[in-house]
Amino acid sequence: MSNTDSSVVLVDAYPSSYALAQAFMEQGCAVVRVQSTQDVPKCYQGDFDTRAFRDNIIHRGVLSDTVAAVAGHRPVAVIAAGEYGVELADALSEELGVPTNGRLLSPARRNKFVMIETVRAAGLRAARQKLVEDEQTLVDWHREVGGRVVVKPLRSAANDGVTICDTPEESAAALRGILTATTVFSETNTAAVVQEYLVGGEYVVDTVSRDGRHRATDVWKYSKMTVPGVRDRITGGHLMSEDAPVRQAVVDYAHDVLDALGIRHGPAHLEIIVTDEGPCLVEVGARIAGANTPYYAELGAGESQIGWTVQAYLNPERFLAEHQRPYRLRQHVSVSWPTAPQQGKLVSYPLLDVVREMESFNNTEIFVQPGDSIVRTVDDSTKTMAVGFAHSSAEVVERDFNALCYLDGPGFYDVEQPE
């Protein structure tokens, strides 16, 4: 079958993952979009033109109906294009007999408590944790383990509701906040997970798999900061070279995690902290990376998850022949996510032109435009912008990234305070 005869199903394709749809279309594939919810979750709300898709199917809760609607397009692949679509993609791909991760371990790929327990059961390093539905259970566990812990929703993303707590009282307050809020996917929280706080550098491994063979398409090291009111805020990502220290250990652990979670096909996004005892999983998304990561990977290495995902499904023989070849950097790349310290009406970014004159400056993605309301940056959902740096010299990139960190602060934002 030629690509022009093929169709691919993307579950929960939204603007953040539209580049994956475009990549399949460029190979001559028709792309069918399946929306896993009748209502669009709040994190995806906004204008989205779906006319380029061959069909736009809304899943209304009856799997057999959606399977029948999708089957008419005779797809060669069903892929989760967003976090919330993972379970439906598993079910559709299994029902349709195309490459599938199956439904058996679907809960472990979405529920963060089940995820860590599944990794632990496979004999891998995993964080101590407790599933909590009430404050007393949480407080008792925190007192027992002592020290710092992390409280987070079971099924959200983008650091939503993730709270670092030093005392049982802080943990209880974090749980109250989670149980009285909905996730970025508009789901009601009925429980949370509390985990030990992992000390060490945090890394991202983006992968693509075919028939249980895994490719690390790009590996990143996070920069973080802590200031009053904001803890462990991720301020940047740095694309690692193929020979960077720790890289192979992180990649090997990531591949073991994929095996433990039954991720045999398609893209995944893993966050891992390297502790004194070795790599330890934070969480996995069994879907393409967000934050425009494939663009920055292409910028640095000339390849990304997107191209490897297309190849895994349309040309698996080539994927399996080449998947162990390490990527090599063409240039060094870092991405900065500045941290707005105040809220109000944004008038301008008065120092942005200074950033644009830096030697390794590549691009800006502006999420909060002048005239819009701005809030204090505490997580991925409250970022104001991303700034990309790229250069043949790692030192130039590091210098410019640090310069932006110096500029970032009250003077970087002209904010009109509410009366």
Side-chain angles (χ1 to χ4, degrees):
M1 180 184 290
S2 68
N3 291 342
T4 55
D5 300 322
S6 303
S7 70
V8 170
V9 174
L10 297 184
V11 181
D12 283 354
Y14 286 100
S16 58
S17 57
Y18 188 67
L20 180 60
Q22 288 180 307
F24 277 110
M25 292 175 191
E26 288 169 0
Q27 293 300 311
C29 274
V31 179
V32 175
R33 178 180 182 269
V34 173
Q35 186 173 302
S36 69
T37 54
Q38 294 187 52
D39 298 321
V40 176
K42 62 184 180 182
C43 62
Y44 296 131
Q45 288 175 359
D47 294 334
F48 181 40
D49 188 350
T50 61
R51 288 177 296 180
F53 296 104
R54 171 185 281 182
D55 198 357
N56 186 47
I57 299 167
I58 308 297
H59 177 61
R60 303 187 186 279
V62 181
L63 180 61
S64 59
D65 290 350
T66 305
V67 169
V70 170
H73 296 286
R74 300 175 61 200
V76 297
V78 178
I79 307 166
E83 181 76 17
Y84 202 72
V86 167
E87 289 154 310
L88 182 57
D90 288 344
L92 290 174
S93 57
E94 189 172 64
E95 289 288 329
L96 292 164
V98 297
T100 183
N101 294 324
R103 281 172 281 192
L104 181 63
L105 290 177
S106 279
R109 295 190 280 269
R110 284 285 289 117
N111 182 302
K112 294 175 183 178
F113 176 80
V114 178
M115 178 183 294
I116 298 302
E117 291 305 303
T118 302
V119 168
R120 190 191 326 280
L124 301 177
R125 168 88 164 92
R128 292 177 294 166
Q129 63 172 3
K130 181 79 172 178
L131 179 68
V132 291
E133 298 177 348
D134 62 89
E135 292 181 30
Q136 193 58 53
T137 301
L138 172 55
V139 166
D140 291 345
W141 190 86
H142 192 162
R143 286 176 177 155
E144 178 185 344
V145 301
R148 181 173 289 178
V149 302
V150 181
V151 183
K152 63 175 73 173
L154 291 176
R155 289 169 54 88
S156 196
N159 304 121
D160 169 49
V162 177
T163 309
I164 298 169
C165 305
D166 287 324
T167 67
E169 292 73 24
E170 289 180 355
S171 294
L175 179 61
R176 286 195 298 273
I178 289 171
L179 296 181
T180 56
T182 56
T183 72
V184 295
F185 303 117
S186 303
E187 279 189 311
T188 300
N189 291 307
T190 58
V193 58
V194 56
Q195 298 172 338
E196 67 172 304
Y197 177 82
L198 299 171
V199 178
E202 185 165 355
Y203 297 80
V204 167
V205 182
D206 292 323
T207 63
V208 177
S209 304
R210 175 74 197 206
D211 298 325
R213 307 291 291 275
H214 311 303
R215 162 95 184 158
T217 60
D218 43 294
V219 183
W220 301 80
K221 172 73 164 59
Y222 277 154
S223 291
K224 296 183 181 181
M225 73 170 194
T226 293
V227 296
V230 182
R231 289 184 176 175
D232 278 14
R233 153 88 178 128
I234 297 171
T235 57
H238 312 277
L239 184 60
M240 298 181 69
S241 64
E242 64 279 0
D243 58 352
V246 183
R247 180 189 181 280
Q248 195 58 51
V250 172
V251 168
D252 289 345
Y253 175 83
H255 289 175
D256 289 341
V257 169
L258 295 176
D259 291 339
L261 297 175
I263 300 176
R264 294 177 47 80
H265 298 279
H269 172 76
L270 301 94
E271 296 176 343
I272 296 164
I273 289 178
V274 177
T275 69
D276 287 344
E277 293 79 32
C280 190
L281 181 67
V282 177
E283 59 189 55
V284 180
R287 39 72 183 172
I288 205 88
N292 208 17
T293 301
Y295 166 81
Y296 295 107
E298 291 271 359
L299 188 63
E303 57 184 78
S304 74
Q305 261 189 321
I306 289 178
W308 281 97
T309 298
V310 171
Q311 184 166 286
Y313 286 103
L314 299 187
N315 193 348
E317 295 82 7
R318 182 177 176 187
F319 176 93
L320 294 171
E322 298 182 353
H323 75 283
Q324 291 183 307
R325 171 184 57 79
Y327 69 80
R328 300 193 181 281
L329 293 190
R330 298 178 177 181
Q331 55 183 344
H332 298 274
V333 172
S334 289
V335 188
S336 173
W337 298 294
T339 307
Q342 55 192 321
Q343 64 181 31
K345 180 180 179 181
L346 179 67
V347 178
S348 68
Y349 296 105
L351 299 178
L352 194 52
D353 284 343
V354 176
V355 176
R356 288 176 170 142
E357 292 299 318
M358 293 179 180
E359 187 175 354
S360 65
F361 171 81
N362 178 265
N363 72 307
T364 57
E365 301 173 71
I366 306 296
F367 309 130
V368 180
Q369 299 288 342
D372 294 342
S373 295
I374 191 171
V375 298
R376 293 182 70 232
T377 304
V378 296
D379 57 20
D380 289 350
S381 300
T382 50
K383 291 187 296 193
T384 60
M385 70 172 69
V387 180
F389 298 99
H391 198 275
S392 59
S393 167
E395 285 71 22
V396 171
V397 171
E398 182 180 18
R399 179 198 67 197
D400 292 347
F401 180 91
N402 289 337
L404 175 52
C405 292
Y406 170 79
L407 295 173
D408 187 27
F412 197 71
Y413 311 87
D414 182 1
V415 177
E416 183 180 302
Q417 298 293 330
E419 296 182 3

